[in-house]
Amino acid sequence: MAIRRSLLIGALGLSAALATPAAAMAASGPSDVAGASQPGDSLRALGANIGLRIGTAVNTDQLGSNPAYTSITDSQFSTVTPENVMKWQLVEPTQGTYDWSAADRLVASAEANHQLVRGHTLVWYNQLPDWLTAAAPSMSPDQLRSILHKHITDEVTHFKGKIWQWDVVNEAFNDDGTLRNTIWLQKLGPGYIADAFRWAHEADPQAKLFYNDYNIEFTGAKSNAVYAFVKNLQAQGVPIDGVGFQTHLDTQYPLPDLKNNLQRFADLGLDVAETEVDVRTTLPVTATEQSAQVAGYSQTLQACIAVRACISYTVWGFSDAYSWVPGVFQGEGAADIYDENLQPKPEYYALQQDLALATGAPHRTGRGAGQD
Ligand code: 9MR
C-alpha cells in the first residue's frame, strides 16, 4: 500500500509532464530524454519491475549509424523486432543465396544489450522476393510447399537459439474473418498455417511461435475467426505458443475491448503480445488529437499489464522520423512516442507513467519473461 502511494505521488509529477512536455524536458534535462542518464526510469527498467518486456521495431539502417537512435534503442527497450530485415524479400533476394547480414547485426546488437529478439516474419503474402512472386503462380503445390518448408527451416535454423518469439504466420486473415486469398492459400490450402508452425518448431523447439495480425485487438469477425482458428490448431496439437496483436491504431477509430479480448486468447493457454503498437492521426496534430494518441498508448499498455499472459509490448518504431505511416496513410502520421528529432513525446511519458504505476501489482510478479 505504501509503495503504491509513493508511486502515485511520482505519477503526479509525470502527469504534469504529460500536460506540458516542454516543462518535463526542462525538468529532466536533454540527456535524460534519450534515456541515458536515468536508467531506472527507462521503459525497459520499469517494464522489468513488473516482468513485462518493452520492445521496438528497429530500422537497421539507423542502428549503429545514428548515435541518438542507437542510444534510445539500447537503453529504452528490452526486446527488438527487425522492421524489415528478416522478411523473405530481404534474406533471400536471389533464390538460393541468403543475405543474413543486416539481421545478424541486429541479433548481435541485441545480445550485447541484453535484449530479446522477436523474429518477424516467416510466412506473409507481402515482401516476398521477386523470383518467388514471379514463379509461384506456375508452380505445383508440391513445389511451392517444399520452397516454403525450406525457407522456414533455413531461416529458423540460421537464428536457432537467438529468437524469443517468432511471428511464424503474419496477416493470414481478412477483416471479415475469411482467410486471405494469398498464393499460400491458393496453392496449399488452409493447412499451410499448421505446416508452417510444425516446420518452425522442428527447426527451433525453444522459440515461442506466434500468429500475428492487425485489427484483431477488438472482438469482431476477424478476431473471432483467429480465435476459432488457433483453438483448432491447438486441438490438432500444432505447436502454437502465442498470438500477436499488432495494434496499429488511428485516433479516428475506437478500441472497445482490448483487455477482455487479450484475456480470452490467454484463457486458451496462449501467450499474447502487443507487437506493433502505434497511434496515427491526421496532420497537423491538434491538442485534442494528441490527447487521444496519449490515451491510445496508455490504454494499450494498461491492457497488456492487466493480462498476465501478455509477455511483451512492442512499438512499431519509436520515432516519427522513421515511421511507415505517412507513406501508407496520406495526411496522417505522428504515430510514435518520440518526435522526428528523437525527443520523447507525451506518449512516451504516458507509457513511463503506466509502467511506474503498475510496479508492485501482485498479478504481474513472477512472470516468466526472463528479465535481465
Ligand atoms: O514498417 C514496415 C515498412 O517499412 C515496410 O515498407 C512495410 C511493407 O509492407 O512493412 C512494414 O511493417 C509491417 C509489418 O511487417 C507487418 N504489419 C504491418 C506493418 C506496417 O505496414
Side-chain angles (χ1 to χ4, degrees), residues 83-84 87 120 124 126-127 170-171 246 276 316 324:
E83 184 171 358
N84 285 300
K87 293 170 179 172
H120 177 83
W124 196 19
N126 201 358
Q127 286 180 292
N170 193 42
E171 301 175 5
Q246 293 185 6
E276 306 186 12
W316 200 243
W324 66 287

Side-chain angles (χ1 to χ4, degrees), residues 57 59 82-84 87 89 120-121 124-127 167 170-171 212-214 246 248 276 278 316 322-325 328-329:
N59 178 326
E83 184 171 358
N84 285 300
K87 293 170 179 172
Q89 186 179 55
H120 177 83
T121 175
W124 196 19
Y125 69 90
N126 201 358
Q127 286 180 292
D167 287 334
N170 193 42
E171 301 175 5
N212 191 54
D213 213 330
Y214 61 85
Q246 293 185 6
H248 291 292
E276 306 186 12
D278 52 22
W316 200 243
Y322 311 108
S323 171
W324 66 287
V325 169
V328 174
F329 296 95

Side-chain angles (χ1 to χ4, degrees), residues 86-104:
M86 284 188 190
K87 293 170 179 172
W88 199 340
Q89 186 179 55
L90 284 288
V91 300
E92 196 183 7
T94 306
Q95 188 170 15
T97 306
Y98 289 114
D99 178 4
W100 307 113
S101 54
D104 283 348

Side-chain angles (χ1 to χ4, degrees), residues 50-70:
I50 56 166
L52 178 62
R53 293 265 170 182
I54 307 296
T56 183
V58 175
N59 178 326
T60 49
D61 292 337
Q62 300 304 318
L63 188 74
S65 65
N66 177 334
Y69 182 95
T70 307

Side-chain angles (χ1 to χ4, degrees), residues 6 21 41 75 100 109 165 192 238 267 277 292 297 329 342 344 347 361:
S6 68
D41 290 340
S75 60
W100 307 113
S109 167
Q165 305 173 15
Y192 82 87
V238 174
D267 289 344
V277 183
Y297 273 101
F329 296 95
L342 301 182
E347 289 85 338

